[in-house]
Amino acid sequence: MKATGIVRRIDDLGRVVVPKEIRRTLRIREGDPLEIFTDREGEIILKKYSPIGELGDFAKQYADTLAQTTGNVVCIADRDQIIAVAGGAKKEFMNKPLGTALERIIQNRETVVAHAGDKAFISIVENGGEEFQSQVICPIIAEGDAIGAVIILSKDKSDKAGETEKKLAASAAGFLGRQMEQ
């Protein structure tokens, strides 16, 4: 564990303020849930909670099936990073932080179908140099909150993403959202 040199006191209601520098570095926003752990040495550990992260294995299997069906790269993301990848490009995406444009799309609950060269075409991960020709992004909504996205990517110039990929991504996102609500 890395020491920050920052010391905070607990107030009379048991609250501690997480310093702005740490929140910015860890991309913790107002209202984000945190998990609280303790260890044997008496340390308290705060970790960003990813509700869709609970579906990690399930999301991976769903991404695998969708990638096999479409022949494309399929990513499933929570609000901060890619949690499942299938169809190739695993090193390029897995556990990488999302690009700010993708975070905004998830937050705004937008569904995007874009092709290379379009204004709507975005980088999926931060500092991403992905070379894809088409992308479909559909937010995952659970209990009214945008908690992630299903992303379908194609490298084939002749295979432009369209209504079918959009419906597949929307179906996957809807299903994952319902799984989170149970």
Side-chain angles (χ1 to χ4, degrees), residues 45-114:
I45 300 159
L46 299 175
K47 180 181 174 190
K48 280 184 73 169
Y49 174 70
S50 169
I52 199 163
E54 292 178 6
L55 292 178
D57 291 337
F58 185 73
K60 173 69 175 123
Q61 291 172 358
Y62 203 109
D64 284 338
T65 302
L66 204 52
Q68 287 174 357
T69 303
T70 63
N72 294 323
V73 173
V74 176
C75 302
I76 298 176
D78 63 12
R79 288 184 48 173
D80 297 305
Q81 66 182 355
I82 304 293
I83 63 162
V85 180
K90 189 166 186 147
K91 289 180 186 175
E92 206 172 335
F93 292 112
M94 193 64 186
N95 298 323
K96 298 278 172 70
L98 303 183
T100 54
L102 179 55
E103 285 181 357
R104 199 170 21 257
I105 286 169
I106 293 170
Q107 185 177 355
N108 294 337
R109 302 160 189 237
E110 298 174 45
T111 296
V112 174
V113 178

Side-chain angles (χ1 to χ4, degrees), residues 7-21:
V7 176
R8 299 291 171 137
R9 296 199 182 279
I10 296 176
D11 71 9
D12 57 340
L13 295 176
R15 297 176 297 197
V16 177
V17 174
V18 178
K20 186 176 186 175
E21 303 81 35

Side-chain angles (χ1 to χ4, degrees), residues 104-158:
R104 199 170 21 257
I105 286 169
I106 293 170
Q107 185 177 355
N108 294 337
R109 302 160 189 237
E110 298 174 45
T111 296
V112 174
V113 178
H115 309 289
D118 294 352
K119 274 201 299 187
F121 198 83
I122 63 161
S123 180
I124 301 301
V125 294
E126 197 174 82
N127 304 321
E130 315 106 26
E131 296 191 16
F132 292 94
Q133 299 301 312
S134 296
Q135 60 186 199
V136 176
I137 303 165
C138 189
I140 300 169
I141 310 294
E143 297 178 352
D145 293 327
I147 61 168
V150 174
I151 304 154
I152 300 175
L153 303 164
S154 174
K155 287 188 177 185
D156 189 355
K157 288 183 182 183
S158 64

Side-chain angles (χ1 to χ4, degrees), residues 1-8 19 21-22 25-26 43-44:
M1 206 174 321
K2 189 164 69 172
T4 63
I6 300 170
V7 176
R8 299 291 171 137
E21 303 81 35
I22 292 173
T25 302
L26 298 178
E43 294 176 325
I44 299 172

